[in-house]
PDB file of all heavy atoms in Angstrom:
ATOM      1  N   GLY A  76      95.288  91.315 117.033  1.00  0.00           N
ATOM      2  CA  GLY A  76      95.024  90.024 117.650  1.00  0.00           C
ATOM      3  C   GLY A  76      93.578  89.743 117.986  1.00  0.00           C
ATOM      4  O   GLY A  76      93.289  88.734 118.627  1.00  0.00           O
ATOM      5  N   GLN A  77      92.649  90.590 117.582  1.00  0.00           N
ATOM      6  CA  GLN A  77      91.226  90.380 117.856  1.00  0.00           C
ATOM      7  C   GLN A  77      90.435  90.417 116.558  1.00  0.00           C
ATOM      8  O   GLN A  77      90.796  91.129 115.627  1.00  0.00           O
ATOM      9  CB  GLN A  77      90.680  91.470 118.764  1.00  0.00           C
ATOM     10  CG  GLN A  77      91.283  91.506 120.138  1.00  0.00           C
ATOM     11  CD  GLN A  77      90.650  92.609 120.983  1.00  0.00           C
ATOM     12  OE1 GLN A  77      89.993  93.505 120.475  1.00  0.00           O
ATOM     13  NE2 GLN A  77      90.856  92.533 122.272  1.00  0.00           N
ATOM     14  N   LEU A  78      89.341  89.646 116.511  1.00  0.00           N
ATOM     15  CA  LEU A  78      88.419  89.744 115.391  1.00  0.00           C
ATOM     16  C   LEU A  78      87.411  90.839 115.697  1.00  0.00           C
ATOM     17  O   LEU A  78      86.878  90.911 116.805  1.00  0.00           O
ATOM     18  CB  LEU A  78      87.695  88.420 115.150  1.00  0.00           C
ATOM     19  CG  LEU A  78      88.548  87.323 114.549  1.00  0.00           C
ATOM     20  CD1 LEU A  78      87.724  86.044 114.410  1.00  0.00           C
ATOM     21  CD2 LEU A  78      89.113  87.733 113.204  1.00  0.00           C
ATOM     22  N   LYS A  79      87.157  91.691 114.718  1.00  0.00           N
ATOM     23  CA  LYS A  79      86.223  92.798 114.891  1.00  0.00           C
ATOM     24  C   LYS A  79      85.309  92.864 113.686  1.00  0.00           C
ATOM     25  O   LYS A  79      85.537  92.193 112.681  1.00  0.00           O
ATOM     26  CB  LYS A  79      86.986  94.112 115.041  1.00  0.00           C
ATOM     27  CG  LYS A  79      87.870  94.135 116.276  1.00  0.00           C
ATOM     28  CD  LYS A  79      88.427  95.490 116.524  1.00  0.00           C
ATOM     29  CE  LYS A  79      89.202  95.472 117.851  1.00  0.00           C
ATOM     30  NZ  LYS A  79      89.500  96.814 118.294  1.00  0.00           N
ATOM     31  N   ARG A  80      84.286  93.691 113.795  1.00  0.00           N
ATOM     32  CA  ARG A  80      83.376  93.908 112.680  1.00  0.00           C
ATOM     33  C   ARG A  80      82.973  95.365 112.639  1.00  0.00           C
ATOM     34  O   ARG A  80      83.001  96.068 113.647  1.00  0.00           O
ATOM     35  CB  ARG A  80      82.137  93.036 112.811  1.00  0.00           C
ATOM     36  CG  ARG A  80      81.281  93.416 114.004  1.00  0.00           C
ATOM     37  CD  ARG A  80      80.060  92.563 114.107  1.00  0.00           C
ATOM     38  NE  ARG A  80      79.335  92.930 115.326  1.00  0.00           N
ATOM     39  CZ  ARG A  80      78.044  92.810 115.460  1.00  0.00           C
ATOM     40  NH1 ARG A  80      77.318  92.333 114.492  1.00  0.00           N
ATOM     41  NH2 ARG A  80      77.461  93.165 116.575  1.00  0.00           N
ATOM     42  N   VAL A  81      82.601  95.816 111.450  1.00  0.00           N
ATOM     43  CA  VAL A  81      82.135  97.179 111.255  1.00  0.00           C
ATOM     44  C   VAL A  81      80.997  97.115 110.235  1.00  0.00           C
ATOM     45  O   VAL A  81      81.043  96.301 109.308  1.00  0.00           O
ATOM     46  CB  VAL A  81      83.294  98.100 110.796  1.00  0.00           C
ATOM     47  CG1 VAL A  81      83.838  97.692 109.455  1.00  0.00           C
ATOM     48  CG2 VAL A  81      82.882  99.540 110.803  1.00  0.00           C
ATOM     49  N   PRO A  82      79.950  97.927 110.417  1.00  0.00           N
ATOM     50  CA  PRO A  82      78.871  97.920 109.419  1.00  0.00           C
ATOM     51  C   PRO A  82      79.410  98.342 108.047  1.00  0.00           C
ATOM     52  O   PRO A  82      80.237  99.251 107.942  1.00  0.00           O
ATOM     53  CB  PRO A  82      77.886  98.964 109.943  1.00  0.00           C
ATOM     54  CG  PRO A  82      78.217  99.152 111.388  1.00  0.00           C
ATOM     55  CD  PRO A  82      79.682  98.857 111.516  1.00  0.00           C
ATOM     56  N   ALA A  83      78.947  97.683 107.007  1.00  0.00           N
ATOM     57  CA  ALA A  83      79.380  98.022 105.655  1.00  0.00           C
ATOM     58  C   ALA A  83      78.954  99.435 105.275  1.00  0.00           C
ATOM     59  O   ALA A  83      79.550 100.044 104.392  1.00  0.00           O
ATOM     60  CB  ALA A  83      78.829  97.013 104.657  1.00  0.00           C
ATOM     61  N   THR A  84      77.969  99.964 105.958  1.00  0.00           N
ATOM     62  CA  THR A  84      77.509 101.329 105.703  1.00  0.00           C
ATOM     63  C   THR A  84      78.364 102.350 106.442  1.00  0.00           C
ATOM     64  O   THR A  84      78.189 103.546 106.255  1.00  0.00           O
ATOM     65  CB  THR A  84      76.045 101.503 106.140  1.00  0.00           C
ATOM     66  OG1 THR A  84      75.923 101.114 107.497  1.00  0.00           O
ATOM     67  CG2 THR A  84      75.131 100.649 105.276  1.00  0.00           C
ATOM     68  N   GLY A  85      79.283 101.877 107.289  1.00  0.00           N
ATOM     69  CA  GLY A  85      80.136 102.754 108.089  1.00  0.00           C
ATOM     70  C   GLY A  85      79.660 102.813 109.516  1.00  0.00           C
ATOM     71  O   GLY A  85      78.583 102.342 109.851  1.00  0.00           O
ATOM     72  N   GLY A  86      80.469 103.330 110.379  1.00  0.00           N
ATOM     73  CA  GLY A  86      80.127 103.419 111.791  1.00  0.00           C
ATOM     74  C   GLY A  86      81.268 102.917 112.652  1.00  0.00           C
ATOM     75  O   GLY A  86      82.392 102.738 112.180  1.00  0.00           O
ATOM     76  N   HIS A  87      80.961 102.636 113.893  1.00  0.00           N
ATOM     77  CA  HIS A  87      81.983 102.211 114.845  1.00  0.00           C
ATOM     78  C   HIS A  87      82.193 100.715 114.771  1.00  0.00           C
ATOM     79  O   HIS A  87      81.257  99.944 114.642  1.00  0.00           O
ATOM     80  CB  HIS A  87      81.582 102.595 116.265  1.00  0.00           C
ATOM     81  CG  HIS A  87      81.523 104.082 116.464  1.00  0.00           C
ATOM     82  ND1 HIS A  87      82.651 104.873 116.504  1.00  0.00           N
ATOM     83  CD2 HIS A  87      80.469 104.926 116.599  1.00  0.00           C
ATOM     84  CE1 HIS A  87      82.291 106.125 116.670  1.00  0.00           C
ATOM     85  NE2 HIS A  87      80.971 106.186 116.725  1.00  0.00           N
TER      86      HIS A  87
END
Side-chain angles (χ1 to χ4, degrees):
Q77 296 181 344
L78 288 178
K79 297 189 175 193
R80 66 179 176 151
V81 64
T84 55
H87 295 289

